Amino acid sequence: MENNDNSGANDLPINDGGAASNRGRIIPVNIEEQMKTNYIDYSMSVIVGRALPDVRDGLKPVHRRVLYGMSELGNTSNKPYKKSARIVGEVMGKYHPHGDASIYDTMVRMAQDWSLRYTLIDGQGNFGSQDGDPPAAMRYTEVRFEKFAEAMLEDIEKETVDYQLNFDDSLKEPTVLPTRIPHLLVNGASGIAVGMATNMMPHNLSEVVDGCIAYIDNREITIDELIHFVKGPDFPTGGIIYGFEGVKQALHTGRGRVVLRGKTNIEIDNKGREKIIITQVPYQVNRDMLTQKIGDLINDKAIEGISDVNNESNNKEGTRIVVELKKDVVAQVVINQLFKLTELQTSYGINNVALVKGRPRVLNLKELIVEFIEFRHEVVVRRTQYELRKARERAHILEGYIIALDNLDAVIKLIRESSTPNLAQEGLVSNFGMSEIQAKAVLELRLQRLTGMEIDKIREEHAEIMKLIARLEEILANEGMRYQIIKDELTEIKNKFGDERKSEITYADDEIGMLDLIEDEDVVVTISHLGYIKRTSSDEYRSQRRGGRGAKGSSTRLEDYIEHLFVASTHHTLLFFTEKGRCFWLPVYKIPEGDKTSKGRALQNMIQIPPDDTVRAIIDVKNFDDKDYVNSHYILLCTKKGIIKKTDLEDFSRPRQNGINAINILEGDQLLEAKLTDGNCEIIMAVKSGRAIRFPEEKVRSTGRGGIGVYGIEVDNDHDAVVGMVCVNREDKTRTILVVSEKGYGKRTYLDDPETGEANYRVTNRGGKGVKTISVTEKTGSLVGLLDVSEKEDLMITCVSGVTIRMSVASVSEQGRATQGVKLIRVDEGDEIAAITKLDEKEEETELITPAENQDQDKADTDATDTPNLEEASDADTE
């Protein structure tokens, strides 16, 4: 480049040895300035013409040229496949003269469903694999458009985008595609330019469309509000996004970091050993390389506990990497080691750099949406202007036809008398007031259009064209209509191509404020006997009358059944207490969500419970950050042998990942129940044989987590055991004690008679035998549980078989404490009650189902059991 500034002329020596004729044409330049200018030109060429995507269609030039070249060849989704080499030759010869390798590599990636969240090319043949296998040569593979790509080129023929000359100025190519899809957000992009780079993550199409529509409806929408729609990246290979702070930062600023983990399940083989099954790997992770890395760690003894690893993945069943464990190894510990030492956990730097009006910019979520919507608005305007111009041109010709039809005989006579077409055209213009275009169209009109039916069609077409013109003019004059068109087209794209998220989002333990992103709602948490946990919307459980048949509550194995079932908020924290006296911590929102019949996820995948331990009690804690709440509450623990222990809640506010010790369990005993109290309660404990004891909470002093506890109730023999413990606020006179036997009988009894105030359950010292709380017979079976309930709550009863029934507590009759109760649920032969729990009454009206065949049985049960047995009652009055 010439430098007209001669200020540096004296700085550089001039070679006088040249020919005299050239001396006047040699211009001295500053080499530093020349290098700087040339390097800037080169870098801008790389930035604009190669490495960075355009913010409007999300494509780099090579991607855009491949798609446009395929479009020009008619290689659409409803046409036969064409050889990849044919497309490569077309694109290289006309638009992209940079070698066939770069073009074919681009095509291959656009056809790989593990590389792009939504593929643009439908490939036939070997296009490589997620294990790193290379694609076949271009002469073997064939391609055509995906319907998704066709939506990116729609309306390109309607002058919606600008064109530029190709590399040799012989053809024109589009500078951008008129995409209806927010492709840059949906499929992301990556590239290294000169002095800058871009690395944009893919997102879910449905979420992005919802975000775009939300912006159209409210231009002042904040990024935090947009995050409710666009929740975060969504990778084609799935995986679990661990931690949200880095993602949130990227959505706000355009720069951040996302940590992605593979998805794992734990299976048990026929020898009883656990296997870790990796079903999803992080984005762009080679499965064979991951398997080899795990093998190397085994050989180097960097990970103890793995006996073998094998990649069993295939195209039909997807990813399946099997990690076999040695005996008595805790699977979750090995999984955490794999996260730390292998690419099973990978981090990606987010850098949202794209070209905006030819200049690179870092863009946040809202700016990306704004740029796309503005571009779509421009496309809609240009498309409407084009359609309006074409409609007016057609209307003009139709008006000429109508003039000719209105003067048909005269027009025919004029044409017949004219010696040349030019004279006929001049005659039509001068005699009938037609334009030259109209006159030419009339002369080219076929005779069949002069039949009566065709004449009517011409008039109808003209009327329709005029309506169309009026509508197009209205669109151009009304901005609201244009944005409504954009919304309608986006909704159509979502309905056509939208799908569910593939990547889950979980939250790191040290993140703050993440609960703001989680809806605060009540869910039913269920834990099966074999340790599978899930959460389900409580609305899925319908209400039934007592005595009904019940509904299937969970799909479990024959030897499994629902053991714990309760309602908790997604913003709360659960404390899990095991039979060996350990305590573990888990937020409710981290529990995997499932429908009522799903199996759930193994609890050992969520918390590090040893294989020989079992969860026995769960406490729902509202907020550990509220110091007043923590300091005013206690946890009461009881064991099957009648031991009771009280500890400050503060001692459980900072549990470790591998759990903490809550109570020292003596040999032959195990933890049964845990309750959260405020220090002002009365405690009721009951045993299988039907006895119960009532004593004040003050009788149990608070001790540290390492203590053993004191006796709460006397257990007579090895066959008897505590079945439950409830804590009732002594000032609450509305609650009743509900007991249920293993064969489905139950009742409610007030602690104190509401009319006389006389105690049904006398207050005594702890450690006594107690009084009869239910008449245990062969018909009722042993006592299986007790709850403190009010009439505003619902009762959920679960059988060993998995059958669950929900009923109103008010439908359970009140009786004396020494009676056997009424039948609450019909229990099949060989089945028995496994668990009972109470649910808060919902505001919405629930469906009430009363099977006709059960009504007579209800009455018979009530008649048979409502009358107390006076002899048994008198015996029960003695402790």
Side-chain angles (χ1 to χ4, degrees):
M1 180 180 292
E2 294 185 353
N3 188 350
N4 294 323
D5 183 5
N6 293 323
S7 60
N10 297 327
D11 297 334
L12 295 172
I14 299 177
N15 184 3
D16 292 329
S21 59
N22 292 329
R23 186 169 298 175
R25 287 191 278 173
I26 297 176
I27 300 174
V29 295
N30 188 317
I31 190 170
E32 181 180 340
E33 292 296 326
Q34 191 71 20
M35 291 293 293
K36 184 186 297 185
T37 302
N38 289 350
Y39 189 74
I40 290 174
D41 291 343
Y42 163 72
S43 63
M44 288 306 299
S45 173
V46 173
I47 290 169
V48 177
R50 191 187 309 173
L52 297 185
D54 193 295
V55 72
R56 297 170 292 177
D57 62 2
L59 297 174
K60 301 177 187 178
V62 63
H63 298 89
R64 190 178 300 116
R65 288 164 177 167
V66 168
L67 294 178
Y68 182 66
M70 292 176 66
S71 173
E72 290 294 284
L73 284 175
N75 197 14
T76 54
S77 61
N78 58 352
K79 299 285 181 61
Y81 293 90
K82 291 184 184 295
K83 282 289 184 183
S84 298
R86 172 78 173 86
I87 308 299
V88 171
E90 177 81 6
V91 173
M92 184 168 63
K94 290 185 174 180
Y95 311 113
H96 196 75
H98 300 292
D100 56 357
S102 63
I103 299 172
Y104 186 54
D105 288 346
T106 298
M107 289 176 55
V108 166
R109 189 172 183 277
M110 288 195 290
Q112 293 174 337
D113 58 7
W114 62 91
S115 294
L116 289 191
R117 180 62 179 83
Y118 300 90
T119 55
L120 301 174
I121 290 177
D122 177 11
Q124 182 170 263
N126 175 16
F127 279 81
S129 75
Q130 203 174 338
D131 297 321
D133 299 319
M138 70 179 78
R139 61 182 178 273
Y140 298 118
T141 60
E142 297 179 332
V143 295
R144 65 182 178 185
F145 269 151
E146 291 276 12
K147 291 185 181 296
F148 191 85
E150 291 175 355
M152 298 186 65
L153 287 141
E154 198 164 344
D155 301 324
I156 194 170
E157 75 284 356
K158 295 183 179 180
E159 300 177 1
T160 50
V161 294
D162 293 331
Y163 281 74
Q164 64 186 11
L165 293 172
N166 68 342
F167 62 91
D168 62 358
D169 294 350
S170 62
L171 296 169
K172 286 190 175 183
E173 60 175 322
T175 58
V176 67
L177 299 186
T179 176
R180 294 190 176 195
I181 297 168
H183 183 263
L184 187 57
L185 268 169
V186 165
N187 267 334
S190 63
I192 300 174
V194 177
M196 64 183 66
T198 184
N199 197 34
M200 305 183 68
M201 299 296 108
H203 294 76
N204 182 271
L205 175 64
S206 299
E207 294 179 2
V208 173
V209 168
D210 289 341
C212 291
I213 293 175
Y215 165 72
I216 293 174
D217 291 336
N218 175 20
R219 307 298 169 81
E220 304 301 322
I221 192 171
T222 65
I223 295 177
D224 285 327
E225 290 171 331
L226 282 172
I227 292 176
H228 288 290
F229 300 98
V230 186
K231 298 177 176 61
D234 188 24
F235 296 94
T237 54
I240 299 172
I241 297 172
Y242 180 69
F244 193 74
E245 283 303 312
V247 175
K248 186 177 179 181
Q249 182 182 2
L251 295 173
H252 275 272
T253 66
R255 298 184 190 274
R257 180 167 295 275
V258 57
V259 177
L260 190 65
R261 289 179 166 181
K263 200 168 187 179
T264 59
N265 294 323
I266 297 177
E267 295 181 1
I268 301 176
D269 61 17
N270 50 14
K271 296 180 181 179
R273 294 185 179 181
E274 291 185 330
K275 297 189 297 185
I276 299 171
I277 310 299
I278 301 173
T279 57
Q280 293 177 359
V281 298
Y283 183 48
Q284 294 178 335
V285 168
N286 186 314
R287 295 180 301 204
D288 276 346
M289 295 294 290
L290 175 62
T291 306
Q292 183 179 340
K293 176 64 175 178
I294 297 173
D296 293 341
L297 292 172
I298 297 171
N299 295 333
D300 297 340
K301 300 188 184 304
I303 296 182
E304 301 288 344
I306 299 179
S307 60
D308 193 20
V309 60
N310 188 30
N311 183 10
E312 299 178 1
S313 307
N314 57 58
N315 293 332
K316 185 177 181 181
E317 297 180 3
T319 299
R320 181 179 171 86
I321 300 174
V322 180
V323 181
E324 297 183 3
L325 304 181
K326 297 177 181 177
K327 191 176 181 180
D328 297 331
V329 173
V330 179
Q332 189 60 46
V333 173
V334 176
I335 291 172
N336 290 340
Q337 289 178 314
L338 292 176
F339 286 151
K340 182 179 180 180
L341 300 174
T342 73
E343 286 188 313
L344 192 60
Q345 175 175 303
T346 307
S347 63
Y348 305 87
I350 300 174
N351 190 24
N352 295 341
V353 178
L355 295 175
V356 181
K357 296 180 175 60
R359 293 178 176 271
R361 270 183 56 193
V362 179
L363 301 156
N364 61 31
L365 174 62
K366 184 175 180 180
E367 289 169 338
L368 287 167
I369 291 176
V370 169
E371 293 294 338
F372 173 73
I373 295 301
E374 287 183 357
F375 172 61
R376 277 306 299 167
H377 183 262
E378 178 188 345
V379 169
V380 169
V381 169
R382 294 180 65 163
R383 180 183 66 194
T384 306
Q385 290 171 340
Y386 173 84
E387 291 174 346
L388 179 61
R389 176 164 56 83
K390 291 296 182 181
R392 284 173 173 167
E393 290 173 358
R394 181 61 180 167
H396 184 64
I397 290 174
L398 290 173
E399 287 164 1
Y401 288 166
I402 292 172
I403 293 172
L405 294 174
D406 289 341
N407 303 276
L408 187 57
D409 293 337
V411 167
I412 292 174
K413 182 180 179 183
L414 185 149
I415 294 172
R416 289 183 63 187
E417 291 176 351
S418 299
S419 58
T420 64
N422 288 338
L423 291 176
Q425 183 173 328
E426 292 173 2
L428 291 173
V429 171
S430 59
N431 294 338
F432 299 101
M434 295 184 186
S435 67
E436 291 186 2
I437 295 174
Q438 288 175 328
K440 185 176 180 181
V442 167
L443 290 174
E444 293 173 352
L445 190 67
R446 299 176 65 181
L447 290 177
Q448 72 175 31
R449 301 297 301 274
L450 301 181
T451 61
M453 187 177 295
E454 290 294 322
I455 291 173
D456 291 339
K457 285 184 179 180
I458 289 172
R459 297 185 185 278
E460 290 174 4
E461 184 184 354
H462 181 262
E464 291 297 324
I465 285 287
M466 296 310 294
K467 290 180 183 177
L468 175 61
I469 290 173
R471 179 177 176 276
L472 294 174
E473 289 175 341
E474 185 181 5
I475 290 172
L476 289 175
N478 189 331
E479 186 182 77
M481 286 185 67
R482 298 197 293 271
Y483 280 105
Q484 185 59 47
I485 290 171
I486 295 172
K487 286 171 60 177
D488 293 342
E489 291 176 350
L490 284 170
T491 302
E492 181 183 346
I493 290 295
K494 176 184 173 182
N495 294 336
K496 195 171 183 181
F497 304 111
D499 57 4
E500 297 295 325
R501 284 189 66 88
K502 291 186 176 182
S503 298
E504 299 177 16
I505 299 177
T506 61
Y507 300 89
D509 296 337
D510 57 350
E511 289 185 340
I512 301 173
M514 55 196 165
L515 291 180
D516 296 336
L517 304 173
I518 302 167
E519 183 180 358
D520 188 359
E521 60 176 346
D522 286 341
V523 293
V524 176
V525 179
T526 57
I527 305 173
S528 74
H529 178 67
L530 292 182
Y532 289 93
I533 187 171
K534 67 177 180 180
R535 60 182 169 96
T536 309
S537 173
S538 58
D539 296 337
E540 285 202 31
Y541 289 88
R542 59 188 182 184
S543 182
Q544 293 185 348
R545 292 282 291 275
R546 68 169 181 82
R549 183 64 187 84
K552 191 70 175 175
S554 180
S555 176
T556 57
R557 291 151 58 175
L558 292 177
E559 66 271 22
D560 201 6
Y561 56 88
I562 300 300
E563 194 168 81
H564 302 280
L565 188 151
F566 56 93
V567 172
S569 166
T570 51
H571 281 202
H572 291 183
T573 301
L574 299 184
L575 293 181
F576 290 83
F577 294 87
T578 70
E579 64 181 25
K580 291 191 175 183
R582 301 285 293 174
C583 174
F584 297 87
W585 177 84
L586 180 66
V588 173
Y589 67 81
K590 285 191 175 183
I591 299 172
E593 191 170 4
D595 58 35
K596 194 171 66 171
T597 59
S598 64
K599 179 179 177 181
R601 186 176 177 186
L603 187 57
Q604 286 188 335
N605 289 355
M606 309 293 297
I607 53 180
Q608 295 182 14
I609 301 176
D612 58 344
D613 208 353
T614 306
V615 171
R616 288 298 180 194
I618 304 101
I619 286 181
D620 177 17
V621 179
K622 292 181 180 178
N623 188 0
F624 272 124
D625 296 328
D626 187 344
K627 295 303 179 184
D628 293 336
Y629 173 84
V630 171
N631 293 330
S632 62
H633 283 78
Y634 306 89
I635 288 183
L636 276 171
L637 305 171
C638 82
T639 71
K640 283 193 172 183
K641 295 297 184 181
I643 300 294
I644 187 168
K645 179 172 178 285
K646 179 179 176 181
T647 305
D648 295 346
L649 179 60
E650 169 67 24
D651 290 355
F652 295 92
S653 61
R654 294 175 297 276
R656 294 185 293 271
Q657 190 173 7
N658 58 348
I660 58 175
N661 202 40
I663 182 175
N664 284 332
I665 301 295
L666 299 177
E667 186 176 354
D669 198 3
Q670 59 181 228
L671 183 69
L672 174 72
E673 189 64 85
K675 297 292 183 184
L676 185 69
T677 75
D678 59 2
N680 189 33
C681 292
E682 290 184 334
I683 301 168
I684 298 92
M685 299 173 68
V687 293
K688 286 174 62 177
S689 57
R691 293 183 290 110
I693 191 171
R694 173 187 181 187
F695 56 88
E697 185 179 338
E698 302 90 78
K699 296 293 183 180
V700 185
R701 65 182 180 87
S702 179
T703 59
R705 289 190 290 106
I708 298 175
V710 294
Y711 278 104
I713 188 171
E714 183 179 321
V715 179
D716 288 338
N717 51 58
D718 293 337
H719 300 291
D720 206 1
V722 176
V723 296
M725 173 187 71
V726 297
C727 301
V728 181
N729 192 300
R730 58 172 57 96
E731 297 177 0
D732 188 355
K733 304 299 183 182
T734 64
R735 306 193 74 77
T736 55
I737 300 300
L738 183 143
V739 290
V740 177
S741 70
E742 64 185 1
K743 293 188 178 179
Y745 285 82
K747 62 174 181 177
R748 291 187 296 133
T749 305
Y750 279 100
L751 284 174
D752 301 313
D753 190 294
E755 296 181 359
T756 65
E758 184 178 349
N760 289 324
Y761 294 86
R762 293 199 306 273
V763 178
T764 66
N765 286 324
R766 61 171 179 80
K769 288 188 175 182
V771 296
K772 184 175 287 189
T773 187
I774 188 172
S775 179
V776 173
T777 65
E778 185 177 348
K779 179 181 178 181
T780 63
S782 300
L783 183 63
V784 295
L786 81 162
L787 297 170
D788 61 305
V789 296
S790 74
E791 293 187 352
K792 293 183 178 181
E793 294 171 334
D794 279 2
L795 177 66
M796 193 86 82
I797 301 177
T798 306
C799 296
V800 172
S801 62
V803 171
T804 302
I805 187 171
R806 177 173 177 170
M807 66 182 71
S808 170
V809 167
S811 67
V812 182
S813 63
E814 299 170 16
Q815 298 182 11
R817 60 176 172 77
T819 60
Q820 69 179 11
V822 297
K823 180 168 283 190
L824 304 181
I825 180 173
R826 291 191 297 125
V827 180
D828 292 338
E829 188 71 27
D831 200 4
E832 61 183 36
I833 303 299
I836 60 173
T837 191
K838 59 189 177 184
L839 305 177
D840 291 335
E841 184 183 48
K842 293 296 174 188
E843 294 180 2
E844 64 267 24
E845 195 172 3
T846 54
E847 181 185 1
L848 199 63
I849 300 174
T850 309
E853 64 269 22
N854 293 334
Q855 293 178 3
D856 294 337
Q857 183 64 42
D858 286 347
K859 187 176 187 303
D861 292 337
T862 304
D863 293 342
T865 57
D866 277 349
T867 305
N869 186 318
L870 298 178
E871 183 176 340
E872 290 180 350
S874 61
D875 292 339
D877 286 341
T878 59
E879 278 190 337

